[in-house]
């Protein structure tokens, strides 16, 4: 009986290993874009290759990934990361250095989409969003600071990220000079001084959905906001307007955890998801610019 039991354990283990070999764990943020990623990429990749995508979500923190990489055998095969996490993770050795020859031509992607350890999924924007109740439409971050012309509360993200950039843009700093200036103490002090000017008129938001909710409730007249949440084709957004001048954009990227045991399949997935016909499907489901250069022509 012992021999028979061991026999069946071996059979079951072999079956589980075979199933695992035909799976790829792709980790994303689980935001409004996850359903679109599933329909545009995950399901189609499974049908095309026979490799089922096991889609999981996380909050963008690197702690769990760091522990996996230290163990030498990460459970995640492909990860969606923001640019800051990608840069830090690449410097810390958490991600594989990408071989673009296994994916595509770098020139086919928009500026900022190709880096040492990541390849862009899509670009997204943070812009000035305002209520159409305002008589004279604001058109710049300088208008955002003009509390006399535009009385009422305005919303900013409770984070130095993006908020300091907005403050310097409002203070007249040219876009090309913003980050060199923020790299200095003088630049940081200038940004915080600018924020102090509207401290009493600011409501700080944390979650992406908050600006729209606060604007709808009449608690804000304008806010910084992720433009995905203000898609004009969605009926609930008919009273929201977007001022695009000097809006900020960033790129979410695919990255491969260092030491991934499924490196060939991870490359295969990223190449598949980066094909123009696949990205066209994604752009039809999300108001994002996909990573390929074609998005600049839309």
């Amino acid at each position: 009986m012992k021999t028979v039991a061991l026999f069946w354990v071996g059979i079951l283990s072999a079956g589980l290993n075979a199933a695992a070999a035909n799976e790829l764990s792709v980790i994303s943020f689980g935001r409004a874009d996850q359903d679109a990623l599933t329909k545009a990429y995950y399901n189609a990749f499974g049908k095309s290759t026979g490799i089922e995508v096991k889609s999981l979500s996380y909050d963008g923190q690197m702690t769990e990934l760091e522990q996996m990489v230290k163990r030498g055998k990460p459970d995640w095969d492909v990860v969606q990361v923001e640019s800051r996490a990608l840069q830090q993770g690449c410097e810390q050795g958490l991600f594989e250095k990408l071989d673009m020859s296994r994916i595509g031509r770098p020139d086919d992607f928009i500026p900022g989409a190709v880096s040492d350890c990541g390849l862009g999924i899509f670009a997204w924007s943070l812009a000035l969003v305002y209520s159409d109740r305002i008589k004279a439409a604001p058109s710049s971050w300088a208008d955002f600071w003009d509390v006399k012309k535009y009385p009422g509360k305005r919303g900013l993200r409770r984070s130095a990220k993006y908020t300091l950039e907005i403050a310097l843009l409002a203070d007249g700093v040219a876009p090309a000079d913003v980050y060199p200036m923020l790299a200095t103490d003088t630049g940081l002090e200038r940004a915080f001084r600018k924020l102090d000017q509207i401290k009493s008129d600011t409501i700080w938001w944390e979650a992406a959905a908050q600006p729209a909710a606060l604007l709808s409730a009449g608690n804000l007249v304008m806010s910084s906001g992720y433009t995905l949440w203000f898609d004009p084709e969605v009926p609930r957004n008919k009273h929201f307007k977007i001022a695009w001048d000097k809006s900020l954009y960033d790129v979410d990227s695919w990255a491969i955890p260092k030491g991934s045991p499924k490196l060939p399949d991870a490359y295969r997935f990223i190449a598949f998801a980066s094909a123009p016909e696949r990205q066209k499907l994604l752009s039809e489901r999300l108001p994002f610019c996909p990573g390929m250069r074609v998005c600049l022509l839309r």
Side-chain angles (χ1 to χ4, degrees):
M1 291 182 65
K2 187 175 182 180
T3 301
V4 170
L6 289 173
F7 169 78
W8 283 109
V9 168
I11 291 293
L12 289 171
S13 297
L16 290 172
N17 288 335
N22 289 322
E23 286 183 353
L24 193 72
S25 295
V26 179
I27 313 301
S28 67
F29 295 128
R31 302 178 304 203
D33 48 310
Q34 186 167 14
D35 183 61
L37 290 171
T38 298
K39 292 176 179 176
Y41 299 156
Y42 303 162
N43 293 342
F45 181 75
K47 291 178 181 178
S48 176
T49 64
I51 301 171
E52 181 184 357
V53 172
K54 186 179 179 182
S55 175
L56 300 172
S57 63
Y58 81 131
D59 61 2
Q61 299 298 318
M62 292 287 103
T63 305
E64 190 172 358
L65 179 62
E66 290 175 7
Q67 294 172 349
M68 291 181 187
V69 172
K70 286 180 180 179
R71 291 200 306 265
K73 192 176 181 181
D75 299 322
W76 298 351
D77 303 312
V78 180
V79 186
Q80 178 185 1
V81 289
E82 290 185 332
S83 59
R84 181 172 59 177
L86 176 64
Q87 181 179 352
Q88 292 175 342
C90 193
E91 292 171 354
Q92 295 168 8
L94 300 181
F95 301 121
E96 296 282 347
K97 293 292 182 67
L98 290 187
D99 178 1
M100 279 300 296
S101 67
R102 303 174 70 170
I103 300 172
R105 298 191 317 152
D107 290 345
D108 287 338
F109 296 84
I110 64 172
V114 180
S115 64
D116 288 344
C117 295
L119 186 67
I121 307 170
F122 45 64
W124 50 267
S125 294
L126 184 84
L128 193 167
V129 184
Y130 60 94
S131 167
D132 65 359
R133 300 187 185 105
I134 296 178
K135 293 181 180 179
S139 60
S140 68
W141 293 116
D143 288 341
F144 191 93
W145 256 254
D146 192 341
V147 295
K148 291 184 178 179
K149 184 176 181 180
Y150 303 100
K153 297 291 185 180
R154 45 266 283 141
L156 286 171
R157 180 182 175 183
R158 188 185 293 276
S159 170
K161 186 178 181 181
Y162 309 127
T163 302
L164 296 182
E165 290 97 314
I166 288 171
L168 289 183
L169 290 169
D171 206 33
V173 177
D177 297 331
V178 166
Y179 289 105
M181 184 165 289
L182 282 177
T184 67
D185 290 340
T186 300
L188 287 172
E189 291 169 2
R190 179 174 175 177
F192 280 108
R193 280 199 305 271
K194 190 67 177 177
L195 288 169
D196 283 342
Q197 293 175 7
I198 58 170
K199 181 188 293 186
S200 61
D201 299 287
T202 301
I203 292 178
W204 299 96
W205 58 267
E206 297 178 0
Q210 283 182 289
L214 291 167
L215 283 163
S216 295
N219 295 325
L220 296 175
V221 294
M222 64 182 78
S223 180
S224 63
Y226 297 111
T227 56
L228 168 66
W229 294 85
F230 297 92
D231 181 359
E233 295 183 6
V234 177
R236 68 171 182 268
N237 294 328
K238 65 180 180 180
H239 293 298
F240 300 144
K241 304 295 181 183
I242 299 174
W244 290 100
D245 185 40
K246 294 184 176 62
S247 59
L248 288 79
Y249 88 88
D250 205 347
V251 177
D252 281 7
S253 298
W254 297 123
I256 303 173
K258 186 72 173 179
S260 169
K262 297 182 181 179
L263 189 62
D265 289 341
Y267 269 110
R268 193 175 179 184
F269 171 79
I270 294 175
F272 180 88
S274 300
E277 61 272 17
R278 291 286 114 208
Q279 298 205 337
K280 177 178 181 293
L281 292 176
L282 182 70
S283 67
E284 291 171 352
R285 291 174 168 84
L286 283 177
F288 280 151
C289 167
M292 298 292 286
R293 186 174 292 275
V294 69
C295 80
L296 298 181
L297 304 178
R298 293 179 62 213

